[in-house]
């Protein structure tokens, strides 16, 4: 997210709000994360004056991050991913 902040603070703030909203509404942190991962290359391609090389590099990095989150995506699809509320309640009980 630091790169996004360095390139456009307005998009960064909007993305943070969207990611928080998506995370709270869906109850899954991974969905918020995926929103950010997909949004940045889309933003560069649509609203910025980035070169095609920069867009391709960011898209490749985003693909690598998606691959890193594959396990979480798979757990989400089969209903095994732990939601945000459940994670928060576990921390409350441990403390």
């Amino acid at each position: 997210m630091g790169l996004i902040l360095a390139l456009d603070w307005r998009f960064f703030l909007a993305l943070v709000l969207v990611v928080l909203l998506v995370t709270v509404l869906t109850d899954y942190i991974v969905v918020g994360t995926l929103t950010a991962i997909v949004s940045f290359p889309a933003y560069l391609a649509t609203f910025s004056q980035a070169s095609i090389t920069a867009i391709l590099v960011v898209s490749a990095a985003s693909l690598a991050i998606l691959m890193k989150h594959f396990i979480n995506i798979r757990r989400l699809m089969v209903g095994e991913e732990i939601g945000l509320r459940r994670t928060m309640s576990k921390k409350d009980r441990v403390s």
Side-chain angles (χ1 to χ4, degrees):
M1 294 281 280
L3 177 62
I4 298 170
L5 176 59
L7 292 175
D8 187 343
W9 64 269
R10 294 167 298 213
F11 177 67
F12 172 80
L13 290 178
L15 187 58
V16 166
L17 292 174
V18 168
V19 167
L20 288 173
L21 183 64
V22 167
T23 299
V24 169
L25 290 176
T26 63
D27 193 38
Y28 293 105
I29 297 169
V30 69
V31 178
T33 302
L34 295 176
T35 301
I37 294 167
V38 172
S39 296
F40 187 45
Y43 164 78
L44 283 181
T46 308
F47 298 110
S48 77
Q49 296 178 351
S51 68
I52 190 71
T53 303
I55 294 168
L56 290 174
V57 167
V58 168
S59 296
S62 294
L63 183 59
I65 295 168
L66 284 171
M67 290 171 54
K68 178 77 173 162
H69 283 84
F70 178 75
I71 294 169
N72 300 75
I73 296 166
R74 192 164 156 230
R75 281 195 304 233
L76 182 66
M77 292 175 69
V78 297
E80 295 174 354
E81 182 70 7
I82 297 172
L84 177 65
R85 288 172 194 81
R86 187 169 164 203
T87 302
M88 297 299 284
S89 66
K90 280 185 177 182
K91 287 182 181 176
D92 291 340
R93 280 186 254 145
V94 172
S95 299

